[in-house]
Amino acid sequence: MKLQRKNRLRATALGALAVSGALVLTACGSDDNTGADANGGTKTSAAASNIKCDGAEGQLRASGSSAQKNAMDLWVKNYMAACSGVEVNYNSSSSGEGIVAFNQGTVGFAGSDSALKPEEVAESKKICKTGQGINLPMVGGPIAIGFHLEGVDKLTLDAPTLAKIFDTKIKKWNDPAIAKLNDGVKLPDKAIQPFHRSEDSGTTQNLGKYLNAAAASDWKYEAEKKWPAPGGQAASGSSGVATQVKQVDGSIGYFELSYAASQDITTVDINTGGAAPVEATSENASKAIAAAKVKGTGKDLALDLDYTTKAEGAYPLVLVTYEVVCDTGNKAETLGTVKSFLTYAASEDGQKVLSEAGYAPIPAEINAKVRETVAALS
């Protein structure tokens, strides 16, 4: 079982690396991304033929969510390989920092794992001038609960137990609540070391939303970007939390599946109350995200996720990362590149990259609305 799970995670990581490597090779080619065909003519690379660079020029700066870093890295490499002379620089910081940068007007768009709050929308009107900031769902995926416990290679937890672990109410791995969910698993008498994000994080907020919905009696904190509970240890970014879990025996933490895959970290199966515990996979996350409803108004496409789903094979602990842009009033010098880049990200090819990198594509019906909105940005 451990070998099968490790192989799945490794395959995800290798798939992402293979795509990344291919994109790097493409980027290292000639500026026009063409070469000689068998007849002595020229041929256009797949990246160049499928990505429309119309209106794109100069440098585009963006920042925010670290949850989408691995997806954004692939998008940027592919896009820059196709669009000669255009530079896209995405600073993977945190959702909170991305929104601040957007509302200060220092980036063309921001990445956030949580939709804009009303006060953030109000603030955005100072930058968007004739419009306001809107949420465009671009990346979906599971929030994996990764753990490192020597001698244990498979673990099932439910929302109430997770709430008590991250609230440091359950302190030992052989606690009866954990043992009840893991019949036949030899759990050690070892202290649990939970890790959480040190900075404002949309991943933290989405974990809070899940625990609020699925373990309301055990998780009494508001779902905010700042970690709310006492105890535990903090690390910077999803990569930082994953690194600590990888290194520390007895640890547990939360991060996007791609980080578990790249560091070969074993993940928790979640008991939703359904027929069987559900593994954190892109496919299982897609089943949960497919049931999402648009709750935003006008051009805003913020989603309402069902964290309490018991549908067979649906992994409930999911997040959606939004690219935050102005609906109107975008800066003229970056508008063309923003539209061109986000058009690629929302395209069939752009969304396919997500699956290869351990993320979940946005459901087709919602993604069609995203493409329509991107096309109308002004």
Side-chain angles (χ1 to χ4, degrees), residues 51-371:
I51 296 176
K52 306 303 181 185
C53 307
D54 299 346
E57 60 182 356
Q59 184 182 65
L60 171 63
R61 296 181 64 231
S63 69
S65 165
S66 66
Q68 68 172 357
K69 178 185 183 301
N70 295 330
M72 189 62 69
D73 285 349
L74 295 179
W75 280 342
V76 167
K77 287 174 183 176
N78 209 1
Y79 182 81
M80 287 174 58
C83 298
S84 178
V86 180
E87 180 181 351
V88 179
N89 184 348
Y90 182 79
N91 177 30
S92 172
S93 49
S94 69
S95 296
E97 291 173 83
I99 296 302
V100 169
F102 178 76
N103 280 340
Q104 289 177 342
T106 60
V107 295
F109 70 88
S112 177
D113 307 324
S114 295
L116 293 168
K117 296 179 179 180
E119 58 269 27
E120 292 171 335
V121 173
E123 185 72 15
S124 74
K125 294 178 180 180
K126 299 176 183 177
I127 296 299
C128 298
K129 305 298 185 184
T130 60
Q132 64 181 43
I134 57 173
N135 305 282
L136 301 179
M138 289 283 190
V139 181
I143 300 176
I145 303 296
F147 71 98
H148 177 178
L149 190 58
E150 294 296 332
V152 177
D153 53 36
K154 182 174 176 59
L155 189 70
T156 296
L157 298 173
D158 58 14
T161 307
L162 280 169
K164 293 171 187 173
I165 287 173
F166 282 113
D167 199 17
T168 62
K169 298 292 177 57
I170 291 179
K171 301 180 182 296
K172 291 290 189 74
W173 279 110
N174 63 346
D175 187 277
I178 300 177
K180 184 178 179 180
L181 293 164
N182 293 276
D183 187 35
V185 177
K186 188 175 181 180
L187 296 165
D189 182 15
K190 184 186 294 290
I192 298 174
Q193 298 191 54
F195 283 89
H196 58 263
R197 292 280 289 274
S198 59
E199 75 285 8
D200 285 3
S201 159
T203 310
T204 293
Q205 189 169 36
N206 277 276
L207 174 64
K209 289 178 180 178
Y210 165 71
L211 295 176
N212 280 163
S217 61
D218 297 293
W219 190 255
K220 301 296 187 181
Y221 308 100
E222 293 294 325
E224 298 291 347
K225 293 188 176 90
K226 184 176 181 63
W227 181 255
Q233 300 180 60
S236 177
S238 291
S239 60
V241 174
T243 296
Q244 290 300 314
V245 171
K246 177 72 174 179
Q247 294 175 349
V248 179
D249 185 24
S251 62
I252 189 169
Y254 59 94
F255 32 79
E256 293 67 43
L257 182 62
S258 60
Y259 291 94
S262 63
Q263 298 205 41
D264 204 21
I265 297 170
T266 308
T267 60
V268 168
D269 293 345
I270 292 185
N271 183 335
T272 64
V278 185
E279 184 180 350
T281 68
S282 297
E283 294 78 12
N284 292 345
S286 292
K287 294 176 183 177
I289 295 172
K293 305 296 183 184
V294 175
K295 65 178 180 180
T297 58
K299 295 180 180 180
D300 186 82
L301 299 177
L303 300 179
D304 187 15
L305 300 169
D306 181 7
Y307 296 103
T308 61
T309 180
K310 295 181 181 180
E312 183 178 357
Y315 184 83
L317 181 44
V318 295
L319 62 73
V320 168
T321 298
Y322 302 96
E323 311 313 334
V324 177
V325 295
C326 298
D327 53 359
T328 64
N330 288 278
K331 292 182 179 179
E333 60 268 29
T334 56
L335 174 60
T337 309
V338 167
K339 292 181 69 171
S340 173
F341 179 76
L342 295 184
T343 294
Y344 162 61
S347 71
E348 183 176 340
D349 287 345
Q351 290 292 296
K352 183 180 179 181
V353 168
L354 298 182
S355 297
E356 295 167 340
Y359 295 93
I362 299 300
E365 182 179 348
I366 296 171
N367 195 43
K369 297 179 181 178
V370 172
R371 294 179 191 177

